[in-house]
Amino acid sequence: MAAALRALPFALALVLSVIVCAGAAEPETGGAPAGGDAAAQAIHRAHAIAMFGEPKYPPGFAHFDYVNPDAPRGGTLRLGVTGTFDSFNPYVIKGNPAAAGEAETLTVASADEPFTQYGLIADEIVWPEDRSWVEFELRPEARWQDGQPITPEDVVFSLDILKTKGAPSYRFYYAAVTKAEKVGERRVRFTFNQAGNRELPLIMGQMPILPKHYWEGRDFERSTLEPPLSSGPYRITAFEPGRYVVTELDPAYWGQDLPVNVGQNNFAQIRYEYFRDETVERQALKGGAIDLRQENQAKAWALDYNVPAVRDGWLKKEAIPNERPAGMQAFVFNTRRSVFADPKVREALVYAFDFEWTNRVLFFGQYTRTESYFANSELASDGLPTGEERDLLEKFRGRVPERVFGADYRAPTTDGSGWPRANLETALGLLGEAGWHVRDMVLVNDATGEPMHFEILLVSQAFERVILPFARNLQRLGIDVSVRLVDDSQYINRMRDFDFDMAVVVWPQSESPGNEQRSYWGSEAADTPGSSNYAGIKDPVVDALIDTVISSPDRKSLVARTRALDRVLLSGFYVIPNWYSGVDRFVYWNKFSRPGETPRRGTSIGWWWLDAEKAARLEARLASADAGQIIEKGAEDTHAPGGSERGPGALTIAAIAGGLAAVGYLVVRRAMHGRTEQCR
C-alpha cells in the first residue's frame, strides 16, 4: 500500500497483509478486462477487498476487534504538534498544512490485517478477477457536512482535481487510471490501463473524496486558511495560524454507527497545540497542557521524564513493541549534485558515520542500525538471494553491481569509541579510487582540483547533536562540510525543489509496498519537484523492479520481488542508513476511565482529578495563554495528589485509538510535504 503519500489517509499510516477468513467475495460471471479480451471472467462483489486472500471480517460484522465498542464518549483530547501551519489544503505543494481537516475515503483499512479495505463512503465493491477495473456503490446516507449527498460526480471530480492540480505524488499514484465514470445512480467505476495490478482497486478506495460543489468555486491550487468542507466526523471550529486548531465532533455525522467507525471518534473535541520547539512541547506535556505525546527522541525518553508526575503514576510512559516495517531513515545524497554522482564517493562517505558511538552516547542504546529500505519486516533482503528473488536479479546481471548476488547488505561497524580510524582509512581508499585525494589537508578532485564541499540541511535542532560528530568525521577526511538549520517553511520548499546536498529523510513503508515506490525511486519522479525521490534515482533496473513489485500475483512473490528491489537500492549507496526502533514510545496523562468505570471527577473525560474551580481556571488559561504561561503555571493546577486510586494502566493506547486517527494522518501529510517525523 502507499505508505508514503502522506496526504492520503491510508498511508502511512496503515498496516497491511493477508488473513483469510469468512466473508469472501461472491464471484459471478461477466465483464471484460481492460485489455480488450472479450472472454468472460469472474466478477466479485463484496463489502471489502483484500490485497491477497480474503478479508478477515465478514459481511455484517459489528466492529473491528481492536476497538472498544463501549468506550466512553466526550471530553477533550489535547495534542501537541511541533512546527507551524498556514493552510488547510493538504493536497497541493503550496503552504504548510495543518494537522486537521482531512477528507474521508471510499474505503478504510483495518489495523489488524496487512492490507484489506472495508467500505466507508462505499458500501459495495465490485471488481473482475484480473482487477482491471473497480466499481464502488456509494452509501445513500453518505453526506457532506452541509447536508448534501456524496455523489459519483464528487468521486470523479476528486480524481480529476488531484491528478491535474494536486501535488505531483497524486499523478504518480493514480497514473494507471485511464477513466473514472458514473455508471449508476450511486455507482462509480475506475478503469485501469493494466490488468493484474492487485493494488489498484484498493488504492482507489483510499483516494480522498472532495466536494465538487465546494471546490468548483475556489482555486484548488492555492493554500487556504478557510476550513474546507468535509464529510468526516470532526469539524474545524476554531484556529489561530501557527498556534492551535480545534476540531469538534459533528453530532450529525452520517457515518458514526458504521461497523468501521464503532468504538472510534470518541472525543467530543480534539485540540492541536502548536509548538516551534519540541523542548517546549515536552514541558507543556509535563505541565498538563497537552495529554499525549509520541516521543521520538531517545535522549528525551531516557532523561526528560524523571519528574514526580511520572514517579507517582499520573504521567505514564509506555513503550509498545511493534512489528511494522520501519522503512528507511537516512542521510540522503542528492545525486543530482555532481559531488555525489559517483557511487564510489557515496559508498566512501557511509564509512564516516559512527552509528555505534552515536547509539551508545546519544541514544542510550535504544536503536538498531537500519540495513534495509524495508527494515523490521520480512520484506527486507536477507542472506543470499534464492528462488524467485535470484531468478529476477539474474535478468539484470551485468546491469547491477555483482554484490547484489552475494550476501545481504551490512552497514560498516565501529568499536564505538568515537574515533573510527579503520573506517576512515577505508573511506579514503574508496575516495582515491573515485579520483579524490587529500592535498594540504583538503580532499580535492584529481581532475578539477576542486575541494569537496557540501551542505547538510536540517529542520530539527535536536538533530544537530547527531550530525555534528558525523560532520567532524567528514572533516577528518578533508571534506569541507557545513550544517544548516532552517525553519519549517524554508525546509519544505527546499526539499520540494530538491534544493539540498544532503538531508535527513524518512521513507515509510507498509506491509504491502506498491505504486508509491514509483514516487520514491522512479526515474520520472526524479525530475518532478514535490515527489519523494529525494535521492534523484534514475535507473531503468529500479524502474523495472518497481513494476514487478506492483504486479506481484501473491504474497510470496511480493516478498521476493521487494527483496530484489531492496538489494539493488542498497547497492547504489543512495543513502547513509540511520536507525530504527521496534517500539512506539508514548507519554500520556493517566486521566481516562476504563470501560464501565466513571472518572473520579465529573462524567466526561477531562481534568478528573481537579476540583471544578481549578479545572475551569486551567481550561480558560489553555484557551488564551501562550506556551510560556502554560509551562509556568501548568504544574500548579495539574499537580496530582500522591498515589492513584485507579492504579496503573487506566489509559491504554488501544482505548483511545479512535481519537488518534488524526495523529497518524499528520505524519502521512508531513512526509508528502517534505517533513517527516524522525527518530533522534
Side-chain angles (χ1 to χ4, degrees):
M1 157 178 164
L5 286 187
R6 278 358 191 160
L8 301 178
F10 58 70
L12 327 113
L14 304 174
V15 286
L16 323 166
S17 157
V18 192
I19 300 180
V20 179
C21 190
E26 291 296 330
E28 59 186 56
T29 301
D37 186 352
Q41 59 176 317
I43 303 297
H44 301 268
R45 298 176 179 272
H47 67 296
I49 180 172
M51 181 72 171
F52 303 112
E54 300 295 339
K56 171 183 176 180
Y57 296 95
F61 72 98
H63 57 79
F64 292 134
D65 289 345
Y66 50 84
V67 305
N68 173 16
D70 300 316
R73 306 291 297 279
T76 297
L77 175 67
R78 295 158 314 147
L79 301 171
V81 183
T82 303
T84 186
F85 74 93
D86 57 17
S87 176
F88 287 117
N89 185 354
Y91 309 111
V92 297
I93 61 173
K94 293 182 179 179
N96 190 358
E102 65 273 15
E104 285 193 306
T105 52
L106 294 168
T107 61
V108 64
S110 58
D112 55 353
E113 297 174 84
F115 197 2
T116 302
Q117 295 287 127
Y118 294 82
L120 179 59
I121 292 177
D123 63 358
E124 184 183 58
I125 310 167
V126 182
W127 70 96
E129 186 67 27
D130 66 358
R131 302 201 180 195
S132 57
W133 53 266
V134 65
E135 291 181 359
F136 296 94
E137 181 79 12
L138 308 187
R139 297 182 189 273
E141 68 270 29
R143 290 287 187 278
W144 299 108
Q145 289 172 345
D146 63 0
Q148 293 198 35
I150 302 176
T151 66
E153 287 82 0
D154 292 319
V155 179
V156 174
F157 168 82
S158 299
L159 177 66
D160 180 65
I161 200 77
L162 290 171
K163 288 182 68 174
T164 58
K165 297 184 178 181
S169 300
Y170 291 110
R171 290 194 287 278
F172 288 108
Y173 210 62
Y174 303 132
V177 183
T178 59
K179 187 186 340 181
E181 57 186 326
K182 177 180 179 180
V183 292
E185 181 182 358
R186 299 196 313 274
R187 187 176 293 265
V188 63
R189 172 186 283 207
F190 298 102
T191 303
F192 309 129
N193 62 9
Q194 56 190 270
N197 187 331
R198 300 185 61 83
E199 188 184 34
L200 286 175
L202 289 86
I203 285 175
M204 301 319 299
Q206 297 167 332
M207 184 179 69
I209 305 304
L210 308 173
K212 179 180 180 180
H213 67 282
Y214 174 86
W215 282 109
E216 277 188 325
R218 293 169 170 83
D219 185 352
F220 187 78
E221 295 180 280
R222 295 177 62 88
S223 60
T224 178
L225 282 171
E226 178 185 3
L229 178 66
S230 172
S231 62
Y234 287 91
R235 292 174 178 262
I236 297 172
T237 56
F239 68 92
E240 184 174 332
R243 292 196 62 188
Y244 68 86
V245 180
V246 177
T247 66
E248 294 186 1
L249 187 64
D250 184 355
Y253 172 50
W254 69 271
Q256 185 59 52
D257 297 325
L258 295 178
V260 295
N261 284 331
V262 169
Q264 306 190 62
N265 307 315
N266 297 319
F267 294 99
Q269 184 182 85
I270 301 177
R271 181 183 179 96
Y272 303 87
E273 295 283 353
Y274 278 77
F275 302 89
R276 292 297 181 97
D277 185 272
E278 288 186 323
T279 301
V280 178
E281 183 179 331
R282 293 186 188 99
Q283 293 299 325
L285 172 67
K286 290 183 283 188
I290 58 178
D291 298 321
L292 176 147
R293 170 178 167 80
Q294 184 171 4
E295 185 56 69
N296 63 343
Q297 188 182 86
K299 177 184 176 183
W301 182 258
L303 301 178
D304 284 11
Y305 298 102
N306 185 20
V307 295
V310 172
R311 292 194 292 270
D312 292 341
W314 296 96
L315 187 61
K316 309 291 290 186
K317 289 177 63 180
E318 188 171 354
I320 303 174
N322 68 66
E323 296 181 0
R324 295 192 309 272
M328 173 64 79
Q329 175 176 307
F331 307 141
V332 59
F333 298 105
N334 186 352
T335 62
R336 303 170 185 85
R337 302 289 205 245
S338 60
V339 67
F340 295 137
D342 191 333
K344 280 284 186 184
V345 171
R346 304 195 296 266
E347 181 182 1
L349 300 190
V350 173
Y351 284 87
F353 176 54
D354 190 343
F355 168 75
E356 283 71 24
W357 180 89
T358 303
N359 195 36
R360 178 178 64 84
V361 176
L362 302 182
F363 298 156
F364 299 84
Q366 295 181 42
Y367 291 129
T368 301
R369 185 71 189 269
T370 299
E371 295 179 312
S372 168
Y373 284 83
F374 304 88
N376 202 39
S377 78
E378 67 172 342
L379 300 168
S381 53
D382 183 44
L384 294 169
T386 59
E388 183 180 354
E389 180 184 359
R390 182 175 180 84
D391 293 342
L392 180 58
L393 291 171
E394 283 289 351
K395 296 178 181 179
F396 303 106
R397 188 179 283 274
R399 300 170 60 190
V400 296
E402 278 299 307
R403 60 168 55 96
V404 304
F405 299 100
D408 53 321
Y409 172 81
R410 286 291 177 262
T413 59
T414 72
D415 61 7
S417 66
W419 176 221
R421 183 183 182 90
N423 282 23
L424 295 181
E425 289 177 348
T426 301
L428 283 173
L430 290 167
L431 288 167
E433 294 176 22
W436 293 83
H437 288 90
V438 176
R439 299 177 187 170
D440 299 324
M441 305 299 291
V442 177
L443 187 70
V444 298
N445 186 275
D446 294 342
T448 66
E450 292 294 320
M452 181 177 288
H453 168 78
F454 61 87
E455 177 187 85
I456 303 176
L457 183 67
L458 294 180
V459 69
S460 170
Q461 186 175 16
F463 232 104
E464 286 183 313
R465 68 194 182 105
V466 178
I467 288 293
L468 292 178
F470 172 52
R472 180 187 60 203
N473 287 338
L474 293 171
Q475 290 162 357
R476 287 168 170 167
L477 294 172
I479 300 171
D480 179 19
V481 59
S482 60
V483 179
R484 182 168 186 184
L485 180 68
V486 298
D487 60 29
D488 267 31
S489 297
Q490 187 176 169
Y491 180 81
I492 289 171
N493 287 326
R494 288 189 61 176
M495 294 301 289
R496 285 173 180 164
D497 293 336
F498 308 129
D499 181 18
F500 68 95
D501 299 330
M502 178 182 287
V504 183
V505 170
V506 180
W507 287 281
Q509 295 288 358
S510 73
E511 286 283 1
S512 293
N515 288 262
E516 77 285 350
Q517 305 300 311
R518 289 192 175 118
S519 181
Y520 287 174
W521 335 113
S523 295
E524 185 179 351
D527 296 324
T528 306
S531 80
S532 297
N533 190 345
Y534 300 108
I537 300 171
K538 299 181 73 172
D539 184 345
V541 174
V542 171
D543 294 337
L545 288 171
I546 292 172
D547 289 341
T548 67
V549 169
I550 292 171
S551 61
S552 299
D554 52 45
R555 179 70 185 179
K556 183 179 179 182
S557 289
L558 177 67
V559 172
R561 296 175 183 190
T562 303
R563 289 179 175 179
L565 173 63
D566 188 32
R567 290 181 192 273
V568 172
L569 289 173
L570 290 168
S571 73
F573 297 102
Y574 300 109
V575 301
I576 301 176
N578 286 178
W579 49 83
Y580 70 91
S581 173
V583 298
D584 295 320
R585 299 171 297 203
F586 290 93
V587 186
Y588 56 89
W589 282 98
N590 188 8
K591 55 185 284 188
F592 300 86
S593 61
R594 292 178 177 140
E597 183 180 33
T598 302
R600 283 177 53 190
R601 295 185 183 275
T603 57
S604 66
I605 298 170
W607 296 96
W608 50 263
W609 65 74
L610 303 180
D611 59 45
E613 181 182 352
K614 285 186 177 181
R617 191 163 66 247
L618 178 60
E619 294 293 349
R621 185 158 59 242
L622 290 177
S624 59
D626 62 20
Q629 292 173 312
I630 291 171
I631 294 167
E632 180 182 352
K633 298 293 187 181
E636 173 188 338
D637 286 344
T638 60
H639 179 68
S644 171
E645 297 177 10
R646 288 149 41 82
L651 169 64
T652 64
I653 300 304
I656 63 170
L660 296 178
V663 180
Y665 186 77
L666 171 63
V667 176
V668 169
R669 258 195 338 230
R670 284 191 164 215
M672 183 170 189
H673 285 76
R675 173 76 187 275
T676 50
E677 301 304 316
Q678 300 160 345
C679 294
R680 303 182 299 281

